[in-house]
Amino acid sequence: MKNEYSQLKEYMDQSSKTVAVTGAGISYLYGVSRLKQSVGRMNAGRIFSASYVRKKPEEFYKVMKNAFLDATFVKGPSTVHRQLAELEKQGRLYGIVTQNLDCLHTIAGSQNVVEFQGSFRDNICTDCGTRSFDYQVWNQGQMPRCEKCGAPLMPTGFCRELKVSEEVSRDSMKEAVNMIAEADLVIVIGTTGFRSNEYLSRMKTGTKLVQINPSETQFDRIADLNIRADAAEALSAVL
């Protein structure tokens, strides 16, 4: 394992632009639930709609609290989130592309973060459509409401019935793809590759791909380096 850590450090030392891609693995182990696990596959489409949130705002808030909010605001960022923030601070990590919704990268101190599924940083009023760009509205112990009309808010990217949700998803994925297209080292951490076909296809020829994941994933066959270890341990060796 020491040889693999040394190789990772060498890749990072040689890289002029390193991008990390993170998934549920780095948050799930620290208390953040997977959405479909929290609400059930059949309920997801019904619950994540503006009409449902308007009708049952407190039930929606309870789902969010159990799945994300307690882990986000009570437990806080994991060691991995903080390590990635430190790497960015040191100038060794250009940015982060994440499928996670929990804002833990931002809370940990990372500045250049693309959340291609949306997050609690971008919210929309379920009635008048006013947007709010502050994850702290979910840190008040109750369902956040629109300052303009008082209707409940919900994360914009969650609301598939609204056209703006599609726009957010399209724009954020475009931003993620552009960031990865500039990288000469991509480190995937704790993800099995959700929507990876959309960003991997834009990697430059010669860009190194490193995977840090205790489990096997679709990245195994294409990664230049597979590290079968806890991400906190691997990043600690680099730091």
Side-chain angles (χ1 to χ4, degrees):
M1 196 63 72
K2 288 183 179 179
N3 291 337
E4 292 175 346
Y5 295 162
S6 296
Q7 183 66 73
L8 173 59
K9 185 176 184 304
E10 182 180 329
Y11 281 164
M12 293 190 73
D13 289 344
Q14 294 173 348
S15 171
S16 60
K17 186 167 287 187
T18 298
V19 172
V21 178
T22 66
I26 70 166
S27 295
Y28 180 63
L29 295 177
Y30 296 93
V32 177
S33 300
R34 292 183 172 92
L35 267 180
K36 290 180 180 178
Q37 206 173 50
S38 299
V39 303
R41 292 177 181 273
M42 298 301 293
N43 289 329
R46 176 174 61 90
I47 290 176
F48 298 113
S49 67
S51 56
Y52 181 89
V53 175
R54 282 196 300 268
K55 185 177 179 180
K56 299 183 177 181
E58 299 312 318
E59 288 190 20
F60 181 80
Y61 178 76
K62 184 178 179 180
V63 171
M64 295 298 97
K65 185 174 186 298
N66 291 338
F68 298 105
L69 303 181
D70 284 346
T72 296
F73 296 116
V74 178
K75 198 163 187 177
S78 70
T79 300
V80 177
H81 292 102
R82 297 190 187 282
Q83 288 170 322
L84 291 172
E86 178 61 25
L87 285 169
E88 182 182 3
K89 183 179 179 181
Q90 293 179 6
R92 300 167 69 190
L93 182 68
Y94 173 70
I96 297 170
V97 169
T98 185
Q99 69 188 61
N100 298 338
L101 315 164
D102 48 42
C103 295
L104 286 170
H105 284 300
T106 299
I107 295 171
S110 294
Q111 300 294 313
N112 195 13
V113 181
V114 178
E115 298 152 324
F116 66 76
Q117 284 205 95
S119 77
F120 290 99
R121 287 199 292 177
D122 181 356
N123 301 284
I124 189 167
C125 175
T126 55
D127 190 8
C128 72
T130 297
R131 300 278 287 279
S132 170
F133 298 93
D134 183 6
Y135 65 84
Q136 288 291 353
V137 298
W138 293 95
N139 191 22
Q140 301 172 357
Q142 59 186 355
M143 185 68 184
R145 292 187 173 271
C146 176
E147 292 184 356
K148 187 174 180 180
C149 73
L153 301 176
M154 70 181 298
T156 306
F158 285 23
C159 194
R160 304 299 185 221
E161 68 192 286
L162 299 180
K163 183 179 180 180
V164 67
S165 174
E166 296 179 8
E167 296 171 354
V168 168
S169 177
R170 182 178 62 250
D171 292 347
S172 58
M173 178 53 79
K174 182 178 179 180
E175 190 177 355
V177 167
N178 288 340
M179 183 185 288
I180 289 173
E182 296 176 0
D184 51 26
L185 174 61
V186 176
I187 306 173
V188 293
I189 308 172
T191 176
T192 57
F194 178 69
R195 295 182 70 179
S196 62
N197 60 305
E198 295 180 57
Y199 56 76
L200 288 181
S201 62
R202 288 289 303 278
M203 282 175 55
K204 294 185 299 186
T205 301
T207 296
K208 298 292 186 184
L209 179 66
V210 175
Q211 173 180 224
I212 305 175
N213 200 321
S215 304
E216 293 182 3
T217 74
Q218 66 177 25
F219 293 112
D220 287 29
R221 58 185 175 79
I222 59 173
D224 296 279
L225 176 64
N226 281 299
I227 299 178
R228 291 275 182 263
D230 179 81
E233 178 182 321
L235 294 179
S236 178
V238 171
L239 285 164

